[in-house]
Amino acid sequence: MLPNLASSWKTGPLGELCDLIMGQAPKGDTYNDRGVGTRLIAGAGDFGPVTPMPKKWTTSPTKMGKKGDIILCVRATIGDLNWADSEYCYGRGVGGIRVNNRIDREFVWFWLEACKNHLLSLGRGATFKQISKKDIAGLPVPDLDLSEQRRIVARIKECMERVGEIEDLRRGADSNRSAIAAAARYEAFRSDHATYELSKIISEGPTNGLYKHSKFYGSGAQILRINNFSSGDVLEHPKGLKRLLVDESELHRYALKSGDIVLNRVNGSLDVVGKACLVESLYEPTVFESNMMRFTVDQERAYARYVLHFLASPLCRDQIKSRAKVIQQASINQKDVASFLIPLPPMEEQRKIVERLDAVCGVVNELAQCATDRLSPILQLRESILRKAFSGEL
């Protein structure tokens, strides 16, 4: 359902106020992850918080976007938005909205945010819900003077800033909780024990994950993605994961198993590179995404949980930052991970360290869950601001 508008407002179709560029997938053999060609946005998986964080490039771009476009996800996670901060190739999972001088770009952005549920309701398709160019072009937009559009944008931004201040307070609390865990890990790994390269205690791996085009998402095996875990998480029967069509050979090669450690290898943020989790148990076959790698620890030499805590420790973070390559994205490779130097005390001492750190992190995670439970009203507040703005109440 569309937002309720002020009774005096007229509307016009979005397609008359903007140019719409619907994405088209380049040929598969033109893709690469080496930074050659044009950055590709295949779908919402390449979205960042505000601007894109693409994982692939193409040497034969199809539909090109320009800096300043509003990028709209039109497939699967319909309605997600990003700003184009550069030129991109648009794959079939997205479309570009390029406004003309009759309408304010930010006004369109906020209107699309307000219409997300409506756009979702227009989705069609058995495997993947998708909206068409006709759906987007026909979306009614309030037809107001530019001055009024900009006044409404200013009021929305003013209100959103107050919400942002609340979120900053929550993030500050999150930072304090993270500092507690980091301090505990710093003390745990600040020892006189001999250090060894991580490769000496790895029994299998590291190996990189699976990349497949966004058209294969929607059904099949579960796939673990970078946003499915936090640093130091232990995954027990994870639920709510996206699904990916895989064949038997892909499942055999990329299926996760109990005891695997999964680690992020490439990201737009260096702080996220190296984020790791431990797979404890799985209800069903689960593969892992290409921006991650996985390895298994030799259980006769180290506890997997000990290694997991090490990967989240300041000692390891320093090594990640010193080894990472930063071009358009930050990344580490398999050799980098294998070369991490880890203090290796006897197994009994490792066990005691794990018990202490598990206890500290357990308390931290409980506090984090309390903060998460309070996040829903903040999201509802954002939605309320948009509703009031477009009903003429702001």
Side-chain angles (χ1 to χ4, degrees), residues 313-333:
S313 71
L315 175 62
C316 187
R317 292 302 313 167
D318 287 344
Q319 296 184 56
I320 290 169
K321 290 177 181 178
S322 68
R323 289 165 171 76
K325 277 72 69 180
V326 182
I327 305 175
Q328 291 175 314
Q329 293 190 322
S331 66
I332 52 176
N333 58 34

Side-chain angles (χ1 to χ4, degrees), residues 204 207-210 221-222 246-258 260 262 279 282 284-288 294 296:
E204 182 182 341
T207 55
N208 293 351
L210 173 63
Q222 290 191 137
V246 295
D247 58 34
E248 289 187 13
S249 64
E250 290 168 334
L251 187 60
H252 176 75
R253 182 174 179 182
Y254 297 104
L256 293 169
K257 60 184 183 301
S258 178
D260 281 346
V262 183
V279 178
L282 297 165
E284 59 179 289
T286 305
V287 297
F288 63 109
R294 62 98 175 264
T296 308

Side-chain angles (χ1 to χ4, degrees), residues 225-241:
R225 306 176 74 204
I226 191 61
N227 59 345
N228 296 135
F229 62 89
S230 298
S231 181
D233 277 359
V234 176
L235 302 184
E236 298 183 61
H237 308 303
K239 298 178 181 178
L241 304 185

Side-chain angles (χ1 to χ4, degrees), residues 66-316:
K66 293 182 179 179
K67 182 177 180 179
D69 286 354
I70 298 172
I71 309 171
L72 172 70
C73 187
V74 300
R75 197 165 187 256
T77 52
I78 296 168
D80 287 0
L81 299 172
N82 258 194
W83 285 112
D85 57 340
S86 180
E87 286 192 344
Y88 293 97
C89 173
Y90 294 154
R92 66 181 298 193
V94 300
I97 298 173
R98 194 170 299 156
V99 305
N100 61 33
N101 57 10
R102 291 176 53 198
I103 193 165
D104 184 86
R105 284 192 310 154
E106 291 180 299
F107 184 81
V108 175
W109 171 283
F110 286 128
W111 177 245
L112 290 170
E113 276 197 319
C115 293
K116 182 169 183 177
N117 288 335
H118 172 72
L119 292 172
L120 279 167
S121 72
L122 298 179
R124 296 175 293 278
T127 305
F128 299 102
K129 298 293 184 182
Q130 186 166 342
I131 57 174
S132 67
K133 184 175 184 178
K134 182 178 179 181
D135 294 325
I136 302 168
L139 181 71
V141 181
D143 187 6
L144 306 172
D145 290 339
L146 269 174
S147 59
E148 178 63 7
Q149 293 175 31
R150 288 167 180 160
R151 187 197 67 79
I152 291 170
V153 166
R155 289 290 290 133
I156 291 174
K157 292 169 77 171
E158 180 184 348
C159 294
M160 293 296 188
E161 283 178 9
R162 302 289 84 79
V163 178
E165 290 169 2
I166 298 171
E167 291 176 326
D168 286 343
L169 291 173
R170 184 181 63 83
R171 280 191 289 270
D174 289 344
S175 179
N176 290 336
R177 288 189 292 272
S178 298
I180 293 171
R185 287 173 172 138
Y186 174 79
E187 289 297 326
F189 293 101
R190 191 181 62 169
S191 71
D192 296 327
H193 291 289
T195 58
Y196 296 84
E197 287 193 349
L198 199 58
S199 61
K200 302 299 182 185
I201 60 171
I202 290 178
S203 60
E204 182 182 341
T207 55
N208 293 351
L210 173 63
Y211 174 79
K212 295 193 79 170
H213 193 279
S214 59
K215 68 181 180 181
F216 293 102
Y217 279 80
S219 62
Q222 290 191 137
I223 181 164
L224 184 69
R225 306 176 74 204
I226 191 61
N227 59 345
N228 296 135
F229 62 89
S230 298
S231 181
D233 277 359
V234 176
L235 302 184
E236 298 183 61
H237 308 303
K239 298 178 181 178
L241 304 185
K242 290 195 173 183
R243 295 187 176 274
L244 179 68
L245 287 173
V246 295
D247 58 34
E248 289 187 13
S249 64
E250 290 168 334
L251 187 60
H252 176 75
R253 182 174 179 182
Y254 297 104
L256 293 169
K257 60 184 183 301
S258 178
D260 281 346
I261 290 177
V262 183
L263 177 144
N264 177 242
R265 66 180 184 85
V266 58
N267 197 273
S269 169
L270 179 56
D271 290 336
V272 179
V273 173
K275 182 175 81 166
C277 69
L278 171 65
V279 178
E280 187 92 330
S281 52
L282 297 165
Y283 276 130
E284 59 179 289
T286 305
V287 297
F288 63 109
E289 201 171 36
S290 63
N291 59 357
M292 299 185 282
M293 63 177 79
R294 62 98 175 264
F295 64 87
T296 308
V297 174
D298 181 349
Q299 297 183 20
E300 294 185 0
R301 300 209 62 194
Y303 288 101
R305 285 183 182 238
Y306 176 82
V307 176
L308 182 67
H309 281 299
F310 165 74
L311 291 170
S313 71
L315 175 62
C316 187

